[in-house]
Every structure is written in structure tokens, then in C-alpha cells.
Amino acid sequence: MGLMAQKGYTVKGKVGAVDAPAIAYLEYSAAGKTVKDSVVLRKGSFAFTGQVNNPVQASIVLKHDTATMGKRVRQDYLYFWLENSNITITAADSVNNAVVKGSVANEEGNLLTALQRPYRKTADSVTKAYYAKTAEERKDSAFRKALGAAQQQSQTGYDSVTRQFIAAHPNSYVALQAFGYIEVGYNFNPDTAARRFSLFAPALQATALGKKITGMIETGRKTQAGVMAMDFTQPDSTGKQVKLSDYRGRYVLVDFWASWCKPCRAENPNMLAAYKKFKEKNFEILGVSLDDDKGRRAWLHAVKQDSLPWTQVSDLKGFESPAAVLYGVKAIPSNFLIDPSGKIVATNLRGEELEKKLAVLLK
């Protein structure tokens, strides 16, 4: 696992006979802060020492020549897993082609990357195929259906091999990070996530990342269908305080969105259609904008441009908004359908799903 294999790390590098003024820069993030270090190469050699609380993804940038006047600065990169161990990095002339030894986390990271590579390649080809078409060609239903199927197949394969890796490495911090990406992301099942998370070693569960995942699972359980919606208060565009509980007695869709979010804006026509169809049948929408303090004008313009007639609120704190934090909103659009008693009955309804769900509830 390499969480506390020794007191600190030592990274020793050898890149041919590259000499001064070439400089190697080490950079990584730890505990929410960016750590940077640099050293001048001497006959191809460089070394870094330090300490991390857990394995982190780091980069080494090698600038072969620091002179910038009249010439292009040559530099190359290496991304690797850094942990508290004795790590060696060797290459003939470029760290981009270096061999890293001494880091178990890096070996695990390479294995996971190799497993995921075919599916990443397929996803890239899907994206390339999409942008190779004209705007008009992209509207073709057959083309969109084929592309969507290929994308879904790629995602399914990617998730499958990632879960296999996670299951086979219960003591790996790399696996824990991968778990955070695919198991507690958008629209996840908190009960399934909790069961799979319990298989990790206790030491991993106790890390800062492990505690963060635990918190996300707990929030997921508080915001899943069948539980009572948590109340919050936000100001509308005039400064009037609006409470979610003000909507008790009606079905209300709490929609987290932002003016800059293209998928959100694309979903607005669908919500508008549902609103017009069911507004006389005890249905309302409460829009919660995650624009920041610089986006007030853009928020109000988007409301007007998209012709959204329902109440809009925002404290202009972006994803740091207490309401977004309370509901564990990490990506938008994100919505929660709440019944007259205040209970969540569905989450993240898109397109025709919203109308279908309302048709059943409000028949």
C-alpha cells in the first residue's frame, strides 16, 4: 500500500549526461496544497526528498535549457505515483521515456492504465468521429444512436476493468482513488458504494480520501429516493429568502444548474415542457443556480433567455453553496423530485423521464 512505508521519499533521477543549466521540477498536490521543488542537473543526475501522507500523482518537468532569448525552450514531462519509498527514475535523454522503479503505487497505476487504455482509445475515437461531422450531420438520429451505443459500450468496459482492479487490490491507494472516481460520482447508489467500500483495508478507509468517500456515501444516503428532503434557504434574484419547505404540499423539482453549464441549458426546454404540462396539477420547479459571485448577470440573463418562469434562487457561491454541499452536488445538471410530504421520490430525471414520472404521480 505504501501509505507509511518509511518516513519520507527519495527520488533519484538519471537522464543521460544532461548537465546544467538543465533543471528538473517536481510538483504534486497534498492536503489541498501544491508542493513544488526544483534542482539543477549535474551530469544527468538529480534528487528530491520529502514526505507525503499517502501516495500522490506527481510530475517531473525537465527543462533542458533555461535560455529563452531567441530560442524555444525544450522541456519534457513525466507523470508518476510518488510515495514514501526510494524511487529511481532513469532515461537515456528524456524523462518522458523514463523507467520508474521503487514505487508500488506507480506499478499499480501503470497496470490500471493499461487495463483502461483500450476503452479510453475507443472513447477518443467516438469523440473524433463526432467532431469530424458538420453541425447538420450531427443531428442525424442514426449517427447519434450509433455513437451513443459505442460510447456506452466503451464506458461499460472501462468501468468493468476498473472494478476488477479495485476488487483485486483492497490495500491499494490507487484503487481507492479509482473507487472515488467511478463509485461515488454522479448519480451513484450509496448502498452499493458502501458495500464495495467496506472491502478496502481499514488503513485506507482512515485516510483523508477514505474519510471523504465515507462522507459522500453518507450524503448519498440522505439524498436518495425514499428519504425526507433536507431543508435549505436561498435568496431569489430580489434578495427574498426562499425555503424549500415553502413548497410543502406540492410536488417540487429542485434543479441545480448554472448559466455556463451547456447540458443544463440543453435540459431547460425539457423542464419547461414538463412545467407547462403539469403546473396546474400541483407541480412546481425551484431552480438553484450554482453560478458564482461574478456570474449574477449571466445567471439572470440565462433565466430570461431560456424563458424559465419558475422561482430561481442562488447565493452565488458556486459548488460551495451550502445547498449544493448539503445535497452532495458535484456535477450539474442535478435534480431531486420531492413529493407533497417532503420526501424525495426520484433523482436526476432527464428528458422524457421527468414527464413520464410526473404522469404516473399526478394521474
Side-chain angles (χ1 to χ4, degrees):
M1 178 166 57
L3 293 178
M4 290 299 292
Q6 61 182 48
K7 291 184 177 180
Y9 63 78
T10 298
V11 179
K12 292 184 177 180
K14 186 72 168 70
V15 185
V18 178
D19 210 341
I23 301 176
Y25 296 86
L26 173 68
E27 182 174 336
Y28 59 89
S29 294
K33 296 182 179 180
T34 299
V35 179
K36 296 181 179 181
D37 200 356
S38 62
V39 63
V40 176
L41 272 71
R42 302 295 181 188
K43 296 182 179 179
S45 297
F46 63 88
F48 295 103
T49 58
Q51 186 174 11
V52 290
N53 293 328
N54 48 255
V56 297
Q57 289 178 294
S59 68
I60 285 182
V61 177
L62 181 59
K63 291 189 177 181
H64 292 255
D65 192 337
T66 58
T68 58
M69 295 298 291
K71 65 191 307 184
R72 183 178 179 182
V73 178
R74 181 189 172 199
Q75 55 182 309
D76 59 288
Y77 305 80
L78 169 69
Y79 295 97
F80 70 107
W81 278 90
L82 174 67
E83 61 183 321
N84 293 329
S85 63
N86 296 316
I87 301 171
T88 61
I89 296 175
T90 55
D93 59 1
S94 168
V95 292
N96 185 53
N97 301 316
V99 174
V100 180
K101 293 184 178 181
S103 169
V104 174
N106 195 67
E107 294 174 3
E108 293 171 341
N110 288 340
L111 174 59
L112 178 58
T113 298
L115 291 171
Q116 296 172 334
R117 186 175 292 116
Y119 304 101
R120 288 182 183 274
K121 190 174 181 179
T122 299
D124 289 342
S125 66
V126 169
T127 301
K128 186 177 180 180
Y130 177 80
Y131 284 105
K133 298 291 186 179
T134 64
E136 191 62 33
E137 289 174 329
R138 293 172 192 166
K139 296 178 182 179
D140 181 71
S141 59
F143 169 72
R144 294 174 68 88
K145 184 177 181 180
L147 222 57
Q151 187 175 36
Q152 182 59 50
Q153 185 177 16
S154 173
Q155 188 64 55
T156 300
Y158 180 93
D159 291 347
S160 178
V161 296
T162 301
R163 289 192 173 104
Q164 289 173 25
F165 173 86
I166 292 170
H169 297 81
N171 296 307
S172 167
Y173 192 87
V174 175
L176 182 68
Q177 187 184 82
F179 181 93
Y181 286 142
I182 73 166
E183 298 292 5
V184 290
Y186 184 76
N187 211 24
F188 73 98
N189 184 310
D191 296 326
T192 300
R195 176 173 53 79
R196 292 173 176 172
F197 181 66
S198 68
L199 302 178
F200 279 106
L204 279 172
Q205 295 183 38
T207 62
L209 177 57
K211 291 178 180 178
K212 180 180 179 181
I213 290 173
T214 297
M216 293 173 71
I217 291 174
E218 290 175 351
T219 298
R221 281 176 162 162
K222 293 177 183 177
T223 56
Q224 63 183 331
V227 303
M228 295 299 292
M230 296 175 284
D231 200 11
F232 64 84
T233 304
Q234 293 240 334
D236 65 12
S237 59
T238 67
K240 177 186 175 181
Q241 297 295 321
V242 178
K243 289 184 178 181
L244 173 58
S245 55
D246 293 341
Y247 289 83
R248 191 63 60 88
R250 289 170 284 176
Y251 280 96
V252 56
L253 182 75
V254 181
D255 176 54
F256 290 90
W257 72 295
S259 64
W260 47 261
C261 170
K262 291 183 178 180
C264 301
R265 303 292 295 275
E267 192 62 33
N268 280 342
N270 296 323
M271 288 195 297
L272 185 58
Y275 179 78
K276 290 179 178 179
K277 189 173 183 178
F278 296 100
K279 67 178 181 178
E280 303 299 331
K281 297 182 179 181
N282 208 32
F283 172 66
E284 273 290 349
I285 297 178
L286 175 61
V288 183
S289 168
L290 297 189
D291 283 278
D292 59 21
D293 58 353
K294 296 180 181 179
R296 177 180 172 80
R297 182 177 295 180
W299 163 44
L300 298 179
H301 177 70
V303 171
K304 183 178 180 180
Q305 189 175 49
D306 294 359
S307 302
L308 307 181
W310 50 84
T311 299
Q312 296 284 342
V313 298
S314 180
D315 53 17
L316 299 176
K317 295 181 180 179
F319 282 92
E320 298 304 314
S321 167
V325 174
L326 187 66
Y327 277 76
V329 177
K330 302 293 184 182
I332 49 178
S334 185
N335 63 48
F336 302 84
L337 181 61
I338 301 168
D339 73 7
S341 72
K343 183 184 296 183
I344 298 173
V345 293
T347 61
N348 296 317
L349 296 169
R350 296 283 174 267
E352 295 180 354
E353 292 180 350
L354 177 58
E355 285 199 31
K356 289 180 179 178
K357 184 67 175 179
L358 290 173
V360 172
L361 294 172
L362 300 174
K363 59 183 178 181

